[in-house]
Short mmCIF file of all heavy atoms in Angstrom, two decimals:
data_model
loop_
_atom_site.label_atom_id
_atom_site.label_comp_id
_atom_site.label_asym_id
_atom_site.label_seq_id
_atom_site.Cartn_x
_atom_site.Cartn_y
_atom_site.Cartn_z
N GLY M 1220 2.71 2.29 -129.32
CA GLY M 1220 3.06 1.18 -130.21
C GLY M 1220 4.08 1.59 -131.25
O GLY M 1220 3.90 2.64 -131.92
N ILE M 1221 5.13 0.86 -131.41
CA ILE M 1221 6.20 1.19 -132.39
C ILE M 1221 5.66 1.24 -133.79
O ILE M 1221 5.99 2.12 -134.59
CB ILE M 1221 7.37 0.17 -132.27
CG1 ILE M 1221 8.36 0.52 -133.41
CG2 ILE M 1221 6.89 -1.26 -132.42
CD1 ILE M 1221 8.96 1.87 -133.32
N GLU M 1222 4.75 0.29 -134.20
CA GLU M 1222 4.30 0.31 -135.57
C GLU M 1222 3.46 1.56 -135.89
O GLU M 1222 3.62 2.19 -136.97
CB GLU M 1222 3.44 -0.93 -135.83
CG GLU M 1222 4.29 -2.17 -136.15
CD GLU M 1222 5.17 -1.99 -137.36
OE1 GLU M 1222 4.68 -1.54 -138.38
OE2 GLU M 1222 6.37 -2.28 -137.24
N ALA M 1223 2.62 1.93 -134.94
CA ALA M 1223 1.79 3.18 -135.22
C ALA M 1223 2.65 4.40 -135.28
O ALA M 1223 2.48 5.25 -136.16
CB ALA M 1223 0.75 3.30 -134.07
N VAL M 1224 3.59 4.52 -134.38
CA VAL M 1224 4.48 5.71 -134.34
C VAL M 1224 5.36 5.73 -135.60
O VAL M 1224 5.57 6.74 -136.26
CB VAL M 1224 5.38 5.72 -133.11
CG1 VAL M 1224 6.36 6.88 -133.17
CG2 VAL M 1224 4.54 5.88 -131.82
N ARG M 1225 5.88 4.53 -136.00
CA ARG M 1225 6.73 4.47 -137.18
C ARG M 1225 6.04 4.91 -138.44
O ARG M 1225 6.50 5.64 -139.22
CB ARG M 1225 7.27 3.03 -137.35
CG ARG M 1225 8.25 2.85 -138.42
CD ARG M 1225 8.61 1.38 -138.63
NE ARG M 1225 7.52 0.61 -139.12
CZ ARG M 1225 7.09 0.55 -140.35
NH1 ARG M 1225 7.73 1.32 -141.27
NH2 ARG M 1225 6.00 -0.16 -140.73
N ARG M 1226 4.72 4.44 -138.57
CA ARG M 1226 3.94 4.78 -139.73
C ARG M 1226 3.62 6.27 -139.77
O ARG M 1226 3.59 6.94 -140.80
CB ARG M 1226 2.71 3.94 -139.81
CG ARG M 1226 2.96 2.42 -140.04
CD ARG M 1226 1.66 1.61 -140.16
NE ARG M 1226 1.96 0.22 -140.34
CZ ARG M 1226 2.19 -0.33 -141.53
NH1 ARG M 1226 2.28 0.40 -142.59
NH2 ARG M 1226 2.47 -1.60 -141.57
N TRP M 1227 3.33 6.87 -138.54
CA TRP M 1227 3.07 8.31 -138.52
C TRP M 1227 4.24 9.11 -138.86
O TRP M 1227 4.16 10.11 -139.55
CB TRP M 1227 2.53 8.69 -137.10
CG TRP M 1227 1.08 8.52 -136.96
CD1 TRP M 1227 0.40 7.61 -136.17
CD2 TRP M 1227 0.03 9.25 -137.56
NE1 TRP M 1227 -0.93 7.73 -136.26
CE2 TRP M 1227 -1.24 8.77 -137.11
CE3 TRP M 1227 0.07 10.33 -138.56
CZ2 TRP M 1227 -2.39 9.28 -137.62
CZ3 TRP M 1227 -1.15 10.86 -138.90
CH2 TRP M 1227 -2.35 10.34 -138.48
N VAL M 1228 5.44 8.73 -138.46
CA VAL M 1228 6.63 9.44 -138.81
C VAL M 1228 6.86 9.39 -140.29
O VAL M 1228 7.21 10.34 -140.93
CB VAL M 1228 7.89 8.86 -138.06
CG1 VAL M 1228 9.14 9.41 -138.66
CG2 VAL M 1228 7.79 9.14 -136.59
N GLU M 1229 6.70 8.25 -140.91
CA GLU M 1229 6.80 8.06 -142.36
C GLU M 1229 5.81 9.00 -143.08
O GLU M 1229 6.15 9.68 -144.04
CB GLU M 1229 6.62 6.62 -142.79
CG GLU M 1229 6.70 6.42 -144.28
CD GLU M 1229 6.57 4.95 -144.72
OE1 GLU M 1229 6.83 4.11 -143.82
OE2 GLU M 1229 6.16 4.72 -145.82
N LEU M 1230 4.61 9.02 -142.60
CA LEU M 1230 3.56 9.84 -143.23
C LEU M 1230 3.89 11.34 -143.14
O LEU M 1230 3.72 12.05 -144.09
CB LEU M 1230 2.16 9.54 -142.63
CG LEU M 1230 0.98 10.40 -143.14
CD1 LEU M 1230 0.77 10.17 -144.59
CD2 LEU M 1230 -0.25 10.13 -142.35
N VAL M 1231 4.31 11.75 -141.99
CA VAL M 1231 4.68 13.13 -141.75
C VAL M 1231 5.82 13.57 -142.63
O VAL M 1231 5.75 14.67 -143.28
CB VAL M 1231 5.02 13.42 -140.24
CG1 VAL M 1231 5.71 14.73 -140.11
CG2 VAL M 1231 3.79 13.34 -139.40
N ILE M 1232 6.78 12.80 -142.84
CA ILE M 1232 7.96 13.13 -143.67
C ILE M 1232 7.46 13.12 -145.14
O ILE M 1232 7.84 14.02 -145.94
CB ILE M 1232 9.09 12.07 -143.55
CG1 ILE M 1232 9.72 12.25 -142.10
CG2 ILE M 1232 10.13 12.31 -144.58
CD1 ILE M 1232 10.83 11.25 -141.80
N ARG M 1233 6.60 12.22 -145.53
CA ARG M 1233 6.08 12.24 -146.90
C ARG M 1233 5.33 13.49 -147.18
O ARG M 1233 5.45 14.14 -148.20
CB ARG M 1233 5.21 11.01 -147.15
CG ARG M 1233 5.94 9.71 -147.33
CD ARG M 1233 5.00 8.56 -147.72
NE ARG M 1233 5.74 7.27 -147.86
CZ ARG M 1233 6.44 6.93 -148.88
NH1 ARG M 1233 6.46 7.70 -149.95
NH2 ARG M 1233 7.05 5.71 -148.88
N GLN M 1234 4.47 13.89 -146.24
CA GLN M 1234 3.69 15.08 -146.39
C GLN M 1234 4.53 16.32 -146.40
O GLN M 1234 4.31 17.31 -147.12
CB GLN M 1234 2.63 15.19 -145.32
CG GLN M 1234 1.53 14.13 -145.42
CD GLN M 1234 0.46 14.25 -144.35
OE1 GLN M 1234 0.76 14.86 -143.28
NE2 GLN M 1234 -0.66 13.60 -144.54
N TYR M 1235 5.58 16.31 -145.63
CA TYR M 1235 6.51 17.49 -145.52
C TYR M 1235 7.20 17.70 -146.87
O TYR M 1235 7.47 18.85 -147.30
CB TYR M 1235 7.54 17.26 -144.38
CG TYR M 1235 8.28 18.52 -144.04
CD1 TYR M 1235 7.69 19.50 -143.22
CD2 TYR M 1235 9.60 18.64 -144.44
CE1 TYR M 1235 8.42 20.63 -142.86
CE2 TYR M 1235 10.30 19.81 -144.12
CZ TYR M 1235 9.74 20.77 -143.31
OH TYR M 1235 10.44 21.93 -142.96
N LEU M 1236 7.49 16.64 -147.57
CA LEU M 1236 8.28 16.76 -148.85
C LEU M 1236 7.30 16.77 -150.06
O LEU M 1236 7.79 16.87 -151.19
CB LEU M 1236 9.19 15.52 -148.98
CG LEU M 1236 10.34 15.45 -148.01
CD1 LEU M 1236 11.05 14.10 -148.02
CD2 LEU M 1236 11.39 16.54 -148.37
N ALA M 1237 6.03 16.71 -149.87
CA ALA M 1237 5.04 16.54 -150.98
C ALA M 1237 5.04 17.83 -151.79
O ALA M 1237 5.21 18.99 -151.25
CB ALA M 1237 3.66 16.33 -150.41
N PRO M 1238 4.89 17.75 -153.14
CA PRO M 1238 4.91 18.92 -154.05
C PRO M 1238 3.55 19.70 -154.09
O PRO M 1238 3.57 20.83 -154.63
CB PRO M 1238 5.28 18.29 -155.36
CG PRO M 1238 4.68 16.96 -155.33
CD PRO M 1238 4.81 16.48 -153.90
N LEU M 1239 2.46 19.09 -153.65
CA LEU M 1239 1.14 19.67 -153.78
C LEU M 1239 0.62 20.21 -152.49
O LEU M 1239 0.85 19.64 -151.40
CB LEU M 1239 0.15 18.67 -154.37
CG LEU M 1239 0.35 18.22 -155.81
CD1 LEU M 1239 -0.69 17.22 -156.23
CD2 LEU M 1239 0.36 19.40 -156.80
N PRO M 1240 -0.11 21.34 -152.52
CA PRO M 1240 -0.82 21.85 -151.38
C PRO M 1240 -1.87 20.82 -150.96
O PRO M 1240 -2.34 20.05 -151.78
CB PRO M 1240 -1.50 23.09 -151.84
CG PRO M 1240 -0.75 23.47 -153.07
CD PRO M 1240 -0.34 22.22 -153.69
N PRO M 1241 -2.26 20.75 -149.67
CA PRO M 1241 -1.87 21.61 -148.53
C PRO M 1241 -0.67 21.12 -147.78
O PRO M 1241 -0.50 21.49 -146.63
CB PRO M 1241 -3.11 21.48 -147.70
CG PRO M 1241 -3.53 20.10 -147.81
CD PRO M 1241 -3.32 19.75 -149.29
N TYR M 1242 0.23 20.34 -148.38
CA TYR M 1242 1.38 19.85 -147.78
C TYR M 1242 2.60 20.68 -148.07
O TYR M 1242 2.53 21.69 -148.70
CB TYR M 1242 1.57 18.35 -148.18
CG TYR M 1242 0.37 17.51 -147.90
CD1 TYR M 1242 -0.30 16.92 -148.94
CD2 TYR M 1242 -0.13 17.38 -146.60
CE1 TYR M 1242 -1.47 16.14 -148.70
CE2 TYR M 1242 -1.27 16.57 -146.39
CZ TYR M 1242 -1.92 16.04 -147.38
OH TYR M 1242 -3.03 15.24 -147.18
N GLY M 1243 3.79 20.18 -147.63
CA GLY M 1243 5.02 20.99 -147.86
C GLY M 1243 5.34 21.77 -146.59
O GLY M 1243 4.50 21.88 -145.63
N PRO M 1244 6.45 22.42 -146.52
CA PRO M 1244 6.90 23.12 -145.28
C PRO M 1244 5.99 24.27 -144.92
O PRO M 1244 5.81 24.57 -143.76
CB PRO M 1244 8.31 23.73 -145.70
CG PRO M 1244 8.71 22.82 -146.79
CD PRO M 1244 7.57 22.39 -147.56
N GLU M 1245 5.33 24.92 -145.92
CA GLU M 1245 4.44 26.05 -145.62
C GLU M 1245 3.06 25.85 -146.19
O GLU M 1245 2.29 26.80 -146.32
CB GLU M 1245 5.07 27.30 -146.22
CG GLU M 1245 6.47 27.64 -145.60
CD GLU M 1245 7.14 28.79 -146.36
OE1 GLU M 1245 6.55 29.35 -147.33
OE2 GLU M 1245 8.23 29.15 -145.92
N GLY M 1246 2.72 24.63 -146.55
CA GLY M 1246 1.40 24.31 -146.97
C GLY M 1246 1.12 24.58 -148.41
O GLY M 1246 -0.04 24.47 -148.89
N GLN M 1247 2.18 24.95 -149.20
CA GLN M 1247 1.96 25.31 -150.64
C GLN M 1247 2.73 24.27 -151.53
O GLN M 1247 3.02 24.61 -152.68
CB GLN M 1247 2.51 26.66 -150.95
CG GLN M 1247 1.76 27.72 -150.15
CD GLN M 1247 0.29 27.76 -150.49
OE1 GLN M 1247 -0.13 27.71 -151.60
NE2 GLN M 1247 -0.53 27.93 -149.45
N GLY M 1248 3.11 23.15 -151.01
CA GLY M 1248 3.98 22.21 -151.72
C GLY M 1248 5.41 22.62 -151.57
O GLY M 1248 5.77 23.71 -151.19
N TRP M 1249 6.30 21.66 -151.79
CA TRP M 1249 7.76 21.92 -151.65
C TRP M 1249 8.15 23.01 -152.60
O TRP M 1249 7.98 22.84 -153.81
CB TRP M 1249 8.61 20.66 -151.88
CG TRP M 1249 9.98 20.85 -151.35
CD1 TRP M 1249 11.07 21.35 -152.13
CD2 TRP M 1249 10.48 20.72 -150.08
NE1 TRP M 1249 12.19 21.47 -151.39
CE2 TRP M 1249 11.88 21.08 -150.08
CE3 TRP M 1249 9.94 20.31 -148.85
CZ2 TRP M 1249 12.69 21.01 -149.01
CZ3 TRP M 1249 10.78 20.24 -147.73
CH2 TRP M 1249 12.14 20.61 -147.78
N PRO M 1250 8.77 24.09 -152.15
CA PRO M 1250 9.15 25.18 -153.09
C PRO M 1250 10.21 24.76 -154.08
O PRO M 1250 11.10 23.92 -153.79
CB PRO M 1250 9.75 26.23 -152.09
CG PRO M 1250 9.16 25.93 -150.75
CD PRO M 1250 9.06 24.43 -150.75
N LEU M 1251 10.09 25.27 -155.29
CA LEU M 1251 11.08 25.00 -156.33
C LEU M 1251 12.50 25.48 -155.82
O LEU M 1251 12.66 26.62 -155.42
CB LEU M 1251 10.70 25.77 -157.64
CG LEU M 1251 9.54 25.16 -158.46
CD1 LEU M 1251 9.27 26.11 -159.55
CD2 LEU M 1251 10.00 23.81 -159.01
N GLY M 1252 13.43 24.55 -156.04
CA GLY M 1252 14.84 24.90 -155.76
C GLY M 1252 15.17 24.94 -154.27
O GLY M 1252 16.35 25.15 -154.02
N ARG M 1253 14.28 24.68 -153.39
CA ARG M 1253 14.61 24.68 -151.95
C ARG M 1253 15.35 23.44 -151.55
O ARG M 1253 14.87 22.28 -151.83
CB ARG M 1253 13.36 24.84 -151.10
CG ARG M 1253 13.64 24.70 -149.60
CD ARG M 1253 12.42 25.13 -148.83
NE ARG M 1253 12.60 24.78 -147.38
CZ ARG M 1253 11.78 25.24 -146.41
NH1 ARG M 1253 10.82 26.12 -146.73
NH2 ARG M 1253 12.00 24.93 -145.19
N SER M 1254 16.55 23.55 -150.94
CA SER M 1254 17.32 22.39 -150.56
C SER M 1254 16.60 21.55 -149.50
O SER M 1254 15.81 22.09 -148.69
CB SER M 1254 18.66 22.87 -150.01
OG SER M 1254 19.40 23.57 -150.96
N VAL M 1255 16.87 20.27 -149.45
CA VAL M 1255 16.28 19.38 -148.44
C VAL M 1255 17.35 19.22 -147.42
O VAL M 1255 18.46 18.71 -147.61
CB VAL M 1255 15.96 18.01 -149.06
CG1 VAL M 1255 15.32 17.15 -148.06
CG2 VAL M 1255 14.95 18.25 -150.26
N ILE M 1256 17.06 19.64 -146.17
CA ILE M 1256 17.99 19.62 -145.07
C ILE M 1256 17.58 18.51 -144.08
O ILE M 1256 16.45 18.45 -143.67
CB ILE M 1256 17.99 20.97 -144.30
CG1 ILE M 1256 18.25 22.07 -145.29
CG2 ILE M 1256 19.09 20.96 -143.20
CD1 ILE M 1256 19.56 22.09 -146.00
N GLY M 1257 18.54 17.63 -143.83
CA GLY M 1257 18.23 16.53 -142.93
C GLY M 1257 17.68 16.98 -141.55
O GLY M 1257 16.78 16.33 -141.00
N ALA M 1258 18.24 18.03 -141.00
CA ALA M 1258 17.79 18.52 -139.72
C ALA M 1258 16.36 19.01 -139.76
O ALA M 1258 15.64 18.84 -138.77
CB ALA M 1258 18.72 19.66 -139.28
N GLU M 1259 15.92 19.56 -140.90
CA GLU M 1259 14.52 19.93 -141.04
C GLU M 1259 13.58 18.72 -140.93
O GLU M 1259 12.50 18.80 -140.33
CB GLU M 1259 14.35 20.64 -142.39
CG GLU M 1259 14.29 22.10 -142.38
CD GLU M 1259 13.82 22.69 -143.72
OE1 GLU M 1259 14.43 22.40 -144.71
OE2 GLU M 1259 12.86 23.42 -143.67
N LEU M 1260 14.02 17.63 -141.59
CA LEU M 1260 13.20 16.42 -141.58
C LEU M 1260 13.13 15.83 -140.16
O LEU M 1260 12.10 15.33 -139.71
CB LEU M 1260 13.74 15.42 -142.58
CG LEU M 1260 13.80 15.88 -144.01
CD1 LEU M 1260 14.43 14.72 -144.86
CD2 LEU M 1260 12.50 16.30 -144.51
N GLU M 1261 14.26 15.92 -139.45
CA GLU M 1261 14.28 15.47 -138.06
C GLU M 1261 13.32 16.26 -137.18
O GLU M 1261 12.54 15.68 -136.39
CB GLU M 1261 15.66 15.59 -137.48
CG GLU M 1261 16.69 14.63 -138.10
CD GLU M 1261 18.07 14.77 -137.45
OE1 GLU M 1261 18.15 15.31 -136.30
OE2 GLU M 1261 19.06 14.33 -138.09
N ALA M 1262 13.25 17.54 -137.42
CA ALA M 1262 12.41 18.42 -136.68
C ALA M 1262 10.88 18.06 -136.93
O ALA M 1262 10.07 18.07 -136.03
CB ALA M 1262 12.63 19.86 -136.97
N ALA M 1263 10.57 17.79 -138.22
CA ALA M 1263 9.27 17.41 -138.60
C ALA M 1263 8.89 16.06 -137.93
O ALA M 1263 7.73 15.88 -137.42
CB ALA M 1263 9.14 17.25 -140.10
N ALA M 1264 9.81 15.13 -137.89
CA ALA M 1264 9.53 13.81 -137.33
C ALA M 1264 9.31 13.95 -135.78
O ALA M 1264 8.50 13.18 -135.20
CB ALA M 1264 10.65 12.82 -137.58
N LEU M 1265 9.96 14.81 -135.17
CA LEU M 1265 9.80 14.98 -133.68
C LEU M 1265 8.52 15.56 -133.28
O LEU M 1265 8.15 15.53 -132.10
CB LEU M 1265 10.94 15.93 -133.21
CG LEU M 1265 12.36 15.28 -133.12
CD1 LEU M 1265 13.43 16.37 -132.82
CD2 LEU M 1265 12.40 14.17 -132.12
#
């Protein structure tokens, strides 16, 4: 279903960019000063 998949993609991207653990690229929140790369977000959505 498009709606379910769309909402999951949005949630995954939000969690990937979140500043608090256990989310972020490495589970410690988004690192200070780390650039946001569009290709990284695409990989997370996939």
Side-chain angles (χ1 to χ4, degrees):
I1221 175 60
E1222 278 302 311
V1224 174
R1225 187 185 65 79
R1226 292 183 185 277
W1227 272 112
V1228 169
E1229 179 179 335
L1230 177 62
V1231 166
I1232 292 177
R1233 286 187 181 277
Q1234 291 179 342
Y1235 193 76
L1236 293 166
L1239 291 179
Y1242 306 116
E1245 299 172 1
Q1247 300 299 317
W1249 192 269
L1251 282 173
R1253 173 169 170 166
S1254 301
V1255 182
I1256 309 296
E1259 261 192 301
L1260 302 180
E1261 291 182 19
L1265 288 172

